Amino acid sequence: MGASDPEVAPWARRGVAGMAGAGAGAGARGGAAAGVEARARDPPPAHRAHPRHPRPAAQPSARRMDSASGGLGSGDNTPTTEALFVALGAGVTALSHPLLYVKLLIQVGHEPMPPTIGTNVLGRKVLYLPSFFTYAKYIVQVDGKIGLFRGLSPRLMSNALSTVTRGSMKKVFPPDEMEQVSNKDDMKTSLKKVVKETSYEMMMQCVSRMLAHPLHVISMRCMVQFVGREAKYSGVLSSIGKIFKEEGLLGFFVGLIPHLLGDVVFLWGCNLLAHFINAYLVDDSVSDTPGGLGNDQNPGSQFSQALAIRSYTKFVMGIAVSMLTYPFLLVGDLMAVNNCGLQAGMPPYSPVFKSWIHCWKYLSMQGQLFRGSSLLFRRVSSGSCFALE
């Protein structure tokens, strides 16, 4: 008996509503299944079928109501929803592009402006490199305001392809219903849920990353042309021809491995940390009370607090884990522009790396594995050529 079956009894629908309200990842099918299981275990006598007293008609399920109302989740509007996500993603990408552009130039080690003398919290004199805003002003002086959006076109195409790929994969490999992990689950059961969800996310992320990486490489190379004032990579189609002619098919996937490793480490680290915090440190014992009431004086307060904490835990863990996985991003971006005929990736400006492991070791020896991770307060490292007089 599915969630949209009109023969579902009212108490089964309450199971649907309860699961939808209390389960962060549970859908209408999971709630209906829970209600049906409860009926099989202990069928309420008040709602047994009777020839003279037929059951009241069930209300439309969440899925049916969504389909009838033409909501975002309806099957007919799936292309519209996907287009909306692509458009929103394009807007965010365009707005954040100057930030990524400056970050990439710092990652490759391009410092066209001298550092300034400042003081730290201890009152000692230190050298500070230009911040993002100073760097962006310099780019505007050289290339104009349009120069801040160098390499934007292939990046927009890359993000759109990634979004469409993930949407298509969800249609071909629809995710199973993800049950909420709570502190009532034993260690084995809760870990199974997290592993299942994370494995699905990892599959989608890896496939979308591999398909969109060639466009990512083109975008990186278009941006670092600012260093040597080159014009080798201009359009997407011409860039594809140049890369294939000079480097072959593998040229489109340079730097892919560290990016994939960074994505995998990020997903598993973020999900596992959030899982342990939400399941074993956040108390949701009040979720069994009718209507999710916390207590008589303040109804729903405890449950609302638990939901609020869970909603932010993964976000905070994502920020923390992204800082730890930043070296993978740095190495992947450097490999994408290394030894490609541009000044930013050729000696004497940059050594030619044999592999991404060679690049990692080189940056580690120089103490530069987190180069570009900060865009506001950028202190000169001890290994830099700048020095206080």
Side-chain angles (χ1 to χ4, degrees), residues 132-370:
F132 161 75
F133 299 102
T134 305
Y135 212 126
K137 288 181 181 179
Y138 173 78
I139 296 176
V140 172
Q141 292 174 359
V142 176
D143 283 344
K145 293 182 180 179
I146 195 65
L148 289 173
F149 299 93
R150 182 194 293 261
L152 175 60
S153 297
R155 186 167 174 240
L156 288 174
M157 296 173 64
S158 174
N159 289 357
L161 179 60
S162 178
T163 302
V164 173
T165 300
R166 295 175 70 92
S168 300
M169 289 188 64
K170 285 183 179 180
K171 297 176 186 176
V172 178
F173 305 102
D176 297 331
E177 291 295 333
M178 301 297 178
E179 301 178 24
Q180 178 191 7
V181 178
S182 69
N183 56 7
K184 300 181 184 63
D185 294 326
D186 54 48
M187 181 69 72
K188 186 175 180 180
T189 302
S190 60
L191 279 179
K192 277 185 177 180
K193 297 176 183 178
V194 175
V195 168
K196 186 176 182 180
E197 178 183 358
T198 306
S199 300
Y200 184 79
E201 292 179 6
M202 182 182 66
M203 177 191 67
M204 289 198 303
Q205 178 63 26
C206 290
V207 173
S208 63
R209 169 73 73 176
M210 286 188 291
L211 293 179
H213 191 74
L215 291 169
H216 174 77
V217 171
I218 295 174
S219 178
M220 297 292 105
R221 295 185 180 185
C222 289
M223 286 188 275
V224 298
Q225 289 182 138
F226 178 84
V227 176
R229 312 304 300 164
E230 298 107 337
K232 181 179 179 179
Y233 299 95
S234 54
V236 175
L237 295 179
S238 61
S239 299
I240 292 175
K242 285 185 176 69
I243 294 176
F244 184 77
K245 182 179 179 180
E246 296 177 1
E247 305 172 48
L249 191 61
L250 294 179
F252 295 103
F253 298 97
V254 288
L256 174 62
I257 294 179
H259 274 297
L260 287 177
L261 290 176
D263 291 340
V264 171
V265 173
F266 173 81
L267 281 174
W268 284 99
C270 178
N271 286 359
L272 287 177
L273 287 174
H275 156 67
F276 285 117
I277 292 175
N278 287 338
Y280 303 107
L281 297 182
V282 180
D283 183 17
D284 60 352
S285 58
V286 294
S287 61
D288 287 337
T289 59
L293 300 180
N295 49 59
D296 296 335
Q297 290 75 25
N298 194 7
S301 60
Q302 298 178 16
F303 190 42
S304 298
Q305 291 174 4
L307 287 178
I309 293 174
R310 283 198 176 93
S311 64
Y312 289 106
T313 300
K314 202 167 186 178
F315 174 75
V316 174
M317 290 300 101
I319 296 176
V321 176
S322 65
M323 295 173 62
L324 298 178
T325 57
Y326 178 80
F328 291 100
L329 172 67
L330 174 62
V331 172
D333 288 345
L334 291 182
M335 291 301 299
V337 302
N338 189 251
N339 195 25
C340 65
L342 300 177
Q343 182 178 335
M346 298 287 291
Y349 201 91
S350 171
V352 175
F353 301 116
K354 299 178 181 178
S355 65
W356 71 271
I357 298 178
H358 179 204
C359 178
W360 185 293
K361 291 180 178 179
Y362 174 81
L363 293 174
S364 180
M365 291 176 58
Q366 299 291 324
Q368 298 288 318
L369 275 176
F370 289 90

Side-chain angles (χ1 to χ4, degrees), residues 2-165:
S4 58
D5 195 329
E7 294 300 319
V8 177
W11 52 264
R13 294 198 304 273
R14 288 198 297 269
V16 176
M19 288 294 291
R29 285 187 299 174
V36 173
E37 291 177 3
R39 179 187 178 186
R41 290 195 303 265
D42 188 17
H47 295 284
R48 290 175 182 170
H50 193 279
R52 296 183 180 181
H53 302 284
R55 298 172 184 167
Q59 298 294 328
S61 68
R63 179 173 299 179
R64 177 178 296 179
M65 291 176 64
D66 183 64
S67 177
S69 60
L72 292 178
S74 62
D76 295 339
N77 289 324
T78 298
T80 305
T81 305
E82 196 169 272
L84 177 61
F85 278 117
V86 171
L88 290 175
V92 174
T93 300
L95 291 175
S96 63
H97 188 76
L99 186 69
L100 183 138
Y101 183 23
V102 172
K103 187 184 189 113
L104 179 63
L105 294 179
I106 295 174
Q107 285 179 336
V108 300
H110 184 54
E111 299 292 349
M113 293 169 288
T116 57
I117 300 177
T119 56
N120 58 13
V121 292
L122 300 177
R124 297 178 180 178
K125 290 185 177 181
V126 293
L127 288 175
Y128 285 100
L129 293 168
S131 66
F132 161 75
F133 299 102
T134 305
Y135 212 126
K137 288 181 181 179
Y138 173 78
I139 296 176
V140 172
Q141 292 174 359
V142 176
D143 283 344
K145 293 182 180 179
I146 195 65
L148 289 173
F149 299 93
R150 182 194 293 261
L152 175 60
S153 297
R155 186 167 174 240
L156 288 174
M157 296 173 64
S158 174
N159 289 357
L161 179 60
S162 178
T163 302
V164 173
T165 300

